[in-house]
Amino acid sequence: MAAFEGLSNRLQNVFGKLKGKGKVSENDVKEAMREVRLALLEADVNFKVVKDFINKVKEKAIGQEVMKSFTPGMVIIDIVNKELTSLMGETHSKLNKSNKPPTVIMMAGLQGAGKTTTTGKLAKYLQKQNHKPLLIAADIYRPAAIKQLQILGEQIDTPVFSLGDKANPVEIAKQGLQQAKENHNDYVIIDTAGRLHIDEDLMNELKDIKETVKPDEVLLVVDSMTGQDAVNVAESFNQQLELTGVVLTKLDGDTRGGAALSVKAVTGKPIKFAAMGEKIDALEPFYPDRMASRILGM
Amino acid sequence: LRRKKIDEDFYEELEEILIGADVGVNVVMELIDELRTEVRKRKIEDAVDLQPVLSEKLVELLSGKEDNSLNIQESGLTVILFVGVNGVGKTTTIGKMAHRFNSEGKKVLLAAGDTFRAGAIEQLEVWGDRVGVDVVKQQAGSDPAAVIYDALQAAKKREADILLCDTAGRLQNKTNLMEELNKIYRVIKREVPNAPHEVLLVLDATTGQNALSQAKLFGEKTGVTGLVLTKLDGTAKGGIVVAIRNEMDIPMKFVGLGEQMDDLQEFDSEQFVHALFAGLIKDEEKREVEESVE
Ligand SMILES: Nc1nc2c(ncn2[C@@H]2O[C@H](COP(=O)(O)OP(=O)(O)OP(=O)(O)O)[C@@H](O)[C@H]2O)c(=O)[nH]1
Ligand SMILES: Nc1nc2c(ncn2[C@@H]2O[C@H](COP(=O)(O)OP(=O)(O)OP(=O)(O)O)[C@@H](O)[C@H]2O)c(=O)[nH]1
Ligand SMILES: [K+]
Ligand SMILES: [Mg+2]
Ligand SMILES: [Mg+2]
């Protein structure tokens, strides 16, 4: 798709013109920054985040390096890449672990983001490291949500705690945690119903669950195809729940995934996992540098 | 608009509102170029006079020349196929639409064509129970085209008016899964003349630029005839449909506004565009109030 042309191509076009001229002017840099801006916006990075980012990069780019370089495009890409990576978090961030097991992980996010699927995947991931997770089915709203989690649990031989869909999610979480302690499960993952960040009642429900189970991780599950609204969602969830991390889903698609940058920029919370498919083992630790290249279309 | 004068700041603000609504940077720049021309031609000076011009343009683009209503057969079976990427709201929209047709006195049947996702069949069954319509299903893991075939035969035998076919969510870049969908499409085409009467692509309003690629690729494989935009009850504006309409002749048909049975409405382009500029209009009202206080 023409719109998704990689940034390096675009910058080559910008600087290709001045091969004869030989010298990079401040205007050339500005023109290049316009291309960077377009690339980021087309990748769904939030426009406010883009603005800040461009200003930061511009400062660096107008410095001597670019102006003197024979390959100004490369220098700019390097600056952009470094800035993006540092914004996204330099290194991989691991899951928190409680020194008094079980470690409690709570999933949260908008409808359809991939919470339940990720709950199953995370259990599998932990199992591989010889842990014994218990899954808690705290979504009483979505039709067959409990069944969905139970099927996933069966697939990987992991117990699922449920009180049906008539019980209160806070009570479900509380009793589930109790059972985990009794059965010596060292991890607990709570699947919650999808909800809008502006739904006060349901957001309060999450706060109550959090208050009750005191999780070590509150993970926001974010669909990597999300557009400009990602900042509103992430900011709001973070304000109300104090997230500890983010899981980015559906990265097996052809989205550039700029939401990742937006979410990181507004919450400051690390992206801990990348989900890359529907299968139960399609979950990987997140690496910020790879994401930077993807956003830039490289 | 907040700033009365049409200057660069004004255009920038407009650009941000549209980009912030996911309209997409290319379309936004096109639109703004057109506006600049319009401003020069009509000698518009006040931003307040420009907003209706823009709104009109968008409404025109979104409503298009096509009919926005569903293609329902006067007599005999109408088959509607639902397609889209994962988690956008296909199954829920089927539940809502089943309720709608059922309340109109039509005989509705659902086909559990998602045999892949854990709990997908059960989810559709809950909706069937809620609405009071039957679901044709097979076991999890079975061939979805075979389920749809069964459902088509059942619909004919029971003389159903409407058959709503659910399919598993799939990302448009997965060739195998898109071929599987194409097979379902061909089965429907073969078994019922002129079917599917509608192929509805369900889009999530929170989705950004990727929805354009979704519309293109699902359109190619399954001849999409209409769009449903879900989750408009959130804070996302769903502006990407402007970009889709700018490039493709696929009409917007319905919007989803919640998780309940009644949360489905016919698409209204004026209402949609109004919501797109909600922030801008609110500022305008505020300014008017402030001025009248002064
Ligand atoms: N391709 C792909 N699909 C995914 C991924 N993660 C989840 N899905 C799919 O996305 C859809 C929604 O996933 P769920 O796990 O049900 O999402 P959820 O957040 O629990 O949804 P609600 O409980 O309704 O809010 C399903 O079709 C999943 O199979 C992923 O990484 N890649
Ligand atoms: N707020 C809101 N939520 C919705 C709307 N439509 C669907 N949902 C929710 O979005 C989630 C996913 O909906 P589904 O109907 O399962 O989506 P799907 O496209 O069938 O998903 P897969 O079959 O897994 O690909 C569920 O939690 C629904 O309740 C809507 O209009 N507004
Ligand atoms: K989604
Ligand atoms: Mg779920
Ligand atoms: Mg479904």
Side-chain angles (χ1 to χ4, degrees), chain A residues 6-17 28-29 31-36 72-78 80:
Chain A
L7 181 63
S8 48
N9 283 346
R10 291 178 146 182
L11 292 188
Q12 256 162 30
N13 284 344
V14 171
F15 292 114
K17 286 174 247 158
D28 296 324
V29 174
E31 176 67 22
M33 283 306 122
R34 258 196 289 279
E35 292 297 326
V36 175
M74 302 295 281
V75 178
I76 288 189
I77 283 187
D78 194 47
V80 169

Side-chain angles (χ1 to χ4, degrees), chain B residues 91 114 117 123 166:
Chain B
T91 308
D114 180 356
R117 213 215 52 227
Q123 183 188 4
D166 197 11

Side-chain angles (χ1 to χ4, degrees), chain A residues 37 51 111 227-228 252 254, chain B residues 15-16 22 174 206 210:
Chain A
R37 173 175 181 265
K51 209 182 225 173
Q111 287 95 344
Q228 297 284 317
D252 46 326
D254 58 5
Chain B
E15 184 183 295
E16 286 184 349
D22 290 316
K174 309 238 161 130
T206 43
N210 192 252

Side-chain angles (χ1 to χ4, degrees), chain A residues 53-89:
Chain A
F53 183 79
I54 292 292
N55 284 337
K56 222 180 277 167
V57 173
K58 216 184 245 167
E59 256 170 53
K60 297 212 164 142
I62 289 184
Q64 295 304 309
E65 276 176 279
V66 180
M67 317 288 269
K68 273 191 288 192
S69 169
F70 288 110
T71 52
M74 302 295 281
V75 178
I76 288 189
I77 283 187
D78 194 47
I79 297 173
V80 169
N81 232 333
K82 274 197 188 122
E83 276 302 305
L84 257 189
T85 310
S86 89
L87 248 182
M88 210 104 67

